[in-house]
Amino acid sequence: MKSLSLDFHFHSPIQKVWFALTDSATLSKWMFFKENDFQPVVGHKFTLRMEPAAGWNGVVEGEVLIVEEPYRLSYTWTSLGEENTVTWTLREDENGGTHVHLEQTGISSEQAFHGATYGWQGMAQQLERVLSEV
């Protein structure tokens, strides 16, 4: 199994970043998934939906595992029969910005690892844009 580990820095305060990671309407603005029923409640089962692509129905199922506002959020990420765990760890810096560490564990293939890396990096760029607009 492989683990993906990415670090991002946003010039926005931690509460604003936390809101963007946990608010369903805001998620749809920066995630590639335009439909979701996410709620930051431990045990909540949610679905993320996007347009289907070749060989994929565009659906991710998940369950919220950890909510420690505004520092840590973790949930399962299940698609194409593969279940991973996604964990976001936020830390405010001395200038009022936010360091975000993303870890996705349980990735079973090189292709899934590269797809997740590409996807999260693209979504982080969208998140940065959304944070600057709010």
Side-chain angles (χ1 to χ4, degrees):
M1 293 288 171
K2 297 177 99 31
S3 291
L4 171 63
S5 182
L6 297 170
D7 290 290
F8 307 102
H9 180 265
F10 301 104
H11 296 288
S12 299
I14 195 168
Q15 285 293 89
K16 191 173 183 181
V17 176
W18 177 264
F19 181 80
L21 293 177
T22 59
D23 176 70
S24 178
T26 307
L27 281 171
S28 68
K29 293 178 183 175
W30 66 267
M31 278 193 146
F32 297 151
F33 303 91
K34 298 306 175 201
E35 293 178 35
N36 73 82
D37 59 356
F38 185 84
Q39 293 178 25
V41 176
V42 173
H44 176 70
K45 293 182 179 175
F46 62 91
T47 304
L48 307 172
R49 295 182 187 279
M50 66 183 296
E51 288 296 318
W56 184 50
N57 65 1
V59 176
V60 171
E61 302 283 342
E63 181 176 348
V64 178
L65 303 173
I66 299 170
V67 178
E68 296 171 1
E69 183 177 350
Y71 303 106
R72 197 157 163 243
L73 175 68
S74 184
Y75 44 80
T76 59
W77 182 275
T78 305
S79 186
L80 294 175
E82 181 166 317
E83 183 174 311
N84 305 156
T85 299
V86 173
T87 302
W88 299 89
T89 305
L90 289 69
R91 181 176 51 83
E92 198 163 29
D93 69 23
E94 61 280 355
N95 298 318
T98 305
H99 290 280
V100 177
H101 178 74
L102 168 68
E103 189 165 2
Q104 185 170 350
T105 59
I107 301 171
S108 65
S109 72
E110 198 68 29
Q111 179 181 358
F113 177 83
H114 290 297
T117 302
Y118 174 81
W120 287 121
Q121 288 174 335
M123 287 188 282
Q125 289 176 350
Q126 290 288 96
L127 175 55
E128 187 167 28
R129 182 187 55 75
V130 166
L131 288 168
S132 71
E133 294 174 353
V134 194

